[in-house]
Amino acid sequence: MLNTLKCSVRLIVIAKVLAKHGALFFFESLRITNFAVQMIKTTKTQKFMLSKGKRLANALIELGPSFIKLGQALSTRSDLLGSDVAEDLAMLHDELPPFSGDDAVKIIEKEFSRPIDALFSEFNKTPHAAASIAQVHFAKTLDGKEVAVKILRPQIENKFKKDLRLFYWVAKATEKLQPSSRRLKPVEMVKTFEHTTMLEMDFRFEGAAISEMAENFYGEKYFKVPEVDWIRTSKRVLTTSRIHGISIDDSDAILKAGHDPKAIADKAATAMFKMVFEDGFFHGDLHPGNLFVDKEGNLNAVDFGIMGRVDEQTRIFLVRMLKAFLDSDYKEVANIHFKAGYVPADKSIDEFAQATRSFVEPILGKELSQISVAELLGRMFAVTANFGMQVQPQLLLLQKTMLMAEGVGRKLLPSANMWEMARPLVEDWALENMANNRVRHISKNLVDMIETFPSYIAQAEKLTRQMSEGVKIHPETINYLINKSSKSSCKKRNSAFMQALPWALIIYLAIALFKL
């Protein structure tokens, strides 16, 4: 009861901030927040020049770090907020006023139990960038290496835990009061948000992610990641080699440096599809501020706090679906969805294929500059809702990442078509890996059969030996059958025993087989 009261009061405060920025619509769709909306609404109307998504983004920034992260998570949920709002949230700038450089030094010294001078020969107390959960300072190690030092905000974990209680309360109440919302899995969404955010606030995990991606791209020059300085890395401090380059969305600077935008776009597409399909491990926050072009024209990524994984089964599903899309084979698209169990079996495959055609055909064959990703996503989610298709949480972050990749491609080369750039990569991967996957599956089954064959032989020999020695039935079972049959005539007695005996044998054999 006390938690309900606290959450209700907090919702009213949040509603005031939303109303201030013209973003009260965020609460209007949730029945649980209706009371807060009604308390804030007045007869006075105000006109706002910004789009709904940008107004919501500004409100979330004012509400603080937890809500900025929530906005980034919601940017993957066009089904909740609409494609236009989600697209604006995908570009939500994770920027907050910095905490003091003196506090940053204190955190570092506490983490390593050493004075700052024992770790760095130079440390710039003015932060290079400040985001919702951390800020970055440039420094030099004792041996003169340039590094970037990422430091967690003071007390940020406690603030997140407080806000998470509110998010869970709203999600659970929404599922209870609005049964139709269960298809969208709001509680599961909050769980995913909690898991990813807590991992993001432990910089040892980010360091491990950087190391794993470095292994995946070992020997590749077109896409680079920084080197982790593990000696100067802890839960709250991450030190990596400093990256120098031009932000990938600064097309004028890229051209001035003599780089070919198409070559860079090709490298970005290649890196993205390698991450997703070959490795199943991808950077989940590849906005332009995290991707740089070095003097050789290669890509350099930073900020590995948000990462995504795609298992092999999902990758096979995705590549088959993408290939079917690119071949305009909408019946195959429908079949793939039904076989994967994403669409209920009682729905019509032909109708799903027709609906798929309705939102895919308008974009194929067009230049990227002519394609409205927001409109495409809006149509896609309308189709999924009409066919009762459950949201797949493992694909939400990937969807957002692909949207960012398209944004990068559009900025670099407005005439490019990401679908066509992706086609040879998808087809090559499909030819090589789908066949290999079948071979691996058959080989695994064959190996399993060979490994278990001796145990089947032993079981058969043991069962044969037991049968040859006669079936042993517990005396109580025999007495029960005799006593029960004595109440009937001899004919019925014999008949009852003969009917019961096969079932007793079956039960005995079942027990014997399960115990072997």
Side-chain angles (χ1 to χ4, degrees):
M1 187 68 177
L2 182 60
N3 184 52
T4 299
L5 181 60
K6 287 181 178 178
C7 290
S8 299
V9 172
R10 186 84 194 282
L11 285 177
I12 294 173
V13 175
I14 293 170
K16 287 182 178 180
V17 176
L18 293 173
K20 171 184 171 183
H21 291 275
L24 207 54
F25 67 89
F26 181 56
F27 270 8
E28 289 174 341
S29 60
L30 300 176
R31 190 175 299 174
I32 185 64
T33 55
N34 277 350
F35 76 95
V37 173
Q38 295 305 319
M39 291 185 70
I40 299 302
K41 270 189 172 180
T42 63
T43 55
K44 183 179 177 180
T45 59
Q46 183 178 356
K47 291 185 178 180
F48 295 91
M49 302 301 294
L50 297 175
S51 66
K52 291 174 67 175
K54 290 178 181 177
R55 293 186 333 242
L56 178 57
N58 289 338
L60 295 175
I61 290 172
E62 181 174 336
L63 288 167
S66 304
F67 290 86
I68 292 174
K69 287 297 176 187
L70 179 64
Q72 292 176 333
L74 288 171
S75 69
T76 67
R77 300 301 299 262
S78 301
D79 48 345
L80 288 175
L81 300 176
S83 53
D84 292 333
V85 174
E87 189 174 18
D88 282 336
L89 289 181
M91 304 305 166
L92 177 63
H93 292 296
D94 191 356
E95 297 176 358
L96 282 180
F99 55 91
S100 75
D102 290 333
D103 286 341
V105 170
K106 289 177 183 177
I107 293 171
I108 293 172
E109 293 181 334
K110 184 178 179 181
E111 281 294 293
F112 298 102
S113 302
R114 298 166 71 183
I116 193 76
D117 293 341
L119 296 165
F120 303 101
S121 61
E122 296 179 19
F123 184 85
N124 190 341
K125 288 187 178 181
T126 302
H128 171 70
S132 57
I133 68 169
Q135 65 187 34
V136 175
H137 293 255
F138 290 144
K140 281 187 178 181
T141 61
L142 300 178
D143 56 358
K145 290 182 181 178
E146 289 187 311
V147 292
V149 186
K150 186 174 181 179
I151 306 162
L152 196 68
R153 281 185 176 273
Q155 302 299 318
I156 191 67
E157 296 105 324
N158 294 334
K159 294 176 182 177
F160 262 95
K161 288 176 181 177
K162 177 184 175 183
D163 289 333
L164 278 170
R165 286 195 291 270
L166 173 67
F167 298 159
Y168 271 116
W169 183 78
V170 171
K172 290 175 181 177
T174 299
E175 284 194 359
K176 184 177 180 180
L177 296 175
Q178 294 178 250
S180 61
S181 70
R182 293 170 192 163
R183 182 186 74 86
L184 305 174
K185 304 178 181 179
V187 172
E188 187 172 337
M189 177 185 171
V190 176
K191 285 181 180 178
T192 302
F193 173 69
E194 178 184 17
H195 176 71
T196 56
T197 303
M198 290 305 170
L199 287 182
E200 193 178 354
M201 289 192 290
D202 186 339
F203 292 155
R204 294 169 298 187
F205 283 94
E206 182 172 350
I210 296 171
S211 295
E212 183 176 347
M213 186 152 286
E215 289 178 3
N216 291 342
F217 280 89
Y218 179 76
E220 303 287 358
K221 294 183 179 180
Y222 68 92
F223 186 86
K224 302 175 183 177
V225 299
E227 181 182 351
V228 180
D229 183 344
W230 286 107
I231 295 175
R232 297 168 182 83
T233 292
S234 67
K235 182 178 180 180
R236 291 178 172 81
V237 178
L238 172 67
T239 304
T240 63
S241 56
R242 182 175 174 179
I243 295 296
H244 293 276
I246 305 167
S247 177
I248 198 168
D249 67 342
D250 192 347
S251 53
D252 291 338
I254 288 173
L255 286 171
K256 189 176 180 180
H259 301 308
D260 179 7
K262 185 178 186 307
I264 295 172
D266 285 338
K267 290 175 181 178
T270 302
M272 188 70 233
F273 281 89
K274 174 177 165 48
M275 287 187 228
V276 175
F277 294 107
E278 290 187 17
D279 307 327
F281 183 60
F282 63 93
H283 195 304
D285 197 22
L286 272 182
H287 61 75
N290 287 339
L291 203 56
F292 299 88
V293 180
D294 63 24
K295 59 184 180 181
E296 287 83 23
N298 296 317
L299 299 175
N300 291 254
V302 299
D303 194 356
F304 293 78
I306 302 175
M307 305 298 293
R309 292 191 185 273
V310 189
D311 60 41
E312 187 175 34
Q313 183 178 357
T314 303
R315 279 182 269 163
I316 294 293
F317 164 78
L318 285 172
V319 78
R320 290 182 61 202
M321 184 179 68
L322 282 172
K323 189 174 185 306
F325 274 137
L326 293 169
D327 291 339
S328 302
D329 189 347
Y330 304 109
K331 187 65 175 286
E332 178 63 11
V333 171
N335 283 328
I336 292 168
H337 279 79
F338 276 78
K339 286 178 181 178
Y342 290 167
V343 181
D346 61 340
K347 302 299 181 182
S348 167
I349 291 181
D350 291 329
E351 289 182 2
F352 188 86
Q354 182 179 353
T356 302
R357 180 188 293 268
S358 73
F359 71 80
V360 174
E361 285 217 338
I363 73 166
L364 293 179
K366 290 185 177 181
E367 292 184 355
L368 191 60
S369 59
Q370 298 176 318
I371 297 172
S372 170
V373 176
E375 181 182 358
L376 172 64
L377 292 176
R379 291 185 183 185
M380 182 178 71
F381 283 115
V383 168
T384 62
N386 293 338
F387 284 85
M389 182 174 165
Q390 294 233 338
V391 173
Q392 303 303 313
Q394 76 274 24
L395 298 179
L396 294 176
L397 181 59
L398 178 58
Q399 168 208 319
K400 173 188 173 182
T401 303
M402 297 300 286
L403 183 64
M404 287 183 177
E406 286 191 337
V408 168
R410 182 184 292 114
K411 189 74 176 179
L412 277 172
L413 202 65
S415 62
N417 187 313
M418 289 291 285
W419 291 82
E420 290 304 316
M421 291 173 66
R423 187 179 188 116
L425 300 170
V426 172
E427 290 180 343
D428 288 348
W429 190 92
L431 288 172
E432 181 180 352
N433 289 274
M434 290 181 69
N436 289 344
N437 183 66
R438 293 191 188 99
V439 172
R440 285 196 302 271
H441 182 70
I442 294 171
S443 299
K444 183 179 183 302
N445 289 342
L446 185 59
V447 170
D448 290 343
M449 288 176 63
I450 293 171
E451 288 177 346
T452 56
F453 188 70
S455 65
Y456 288 141
I457 295 296
Q459 289 175 16
E461 289 176 349
K462 186 175 181 180
L463 186 58
T464 303
R465 185 170 60 254
Q466 288 178 341
M467 293 297 291
S468 66
E469 294 172 354
V471 177
K472 297 176 183 179
I473 302 178
H474 196 280
E476 290 184 5
T477 303
I478 297 174
N479 290 334
Y480 169 77
L481 293 172
I482 292 173
N483 291 335
K484 185 175 181 180
S485 62
S486 64
K487 297 178 182 180
S488 304
S489 63
C490 181
K491 181 178 179 181
K492 289 184 178 180
R493 187 163 59 241
N494 292 336
S495 175
F497 183 80
M498 294 307 294
Q499 289 176 8
L501 184 58
W503 288 106
L505 287 171
I506 291 171
I507 294 170
Y508 172 80
L509 292 173
I511 293 172
L513 286 170
F514 276 111
K515 285 186 176 180
L516 291 178

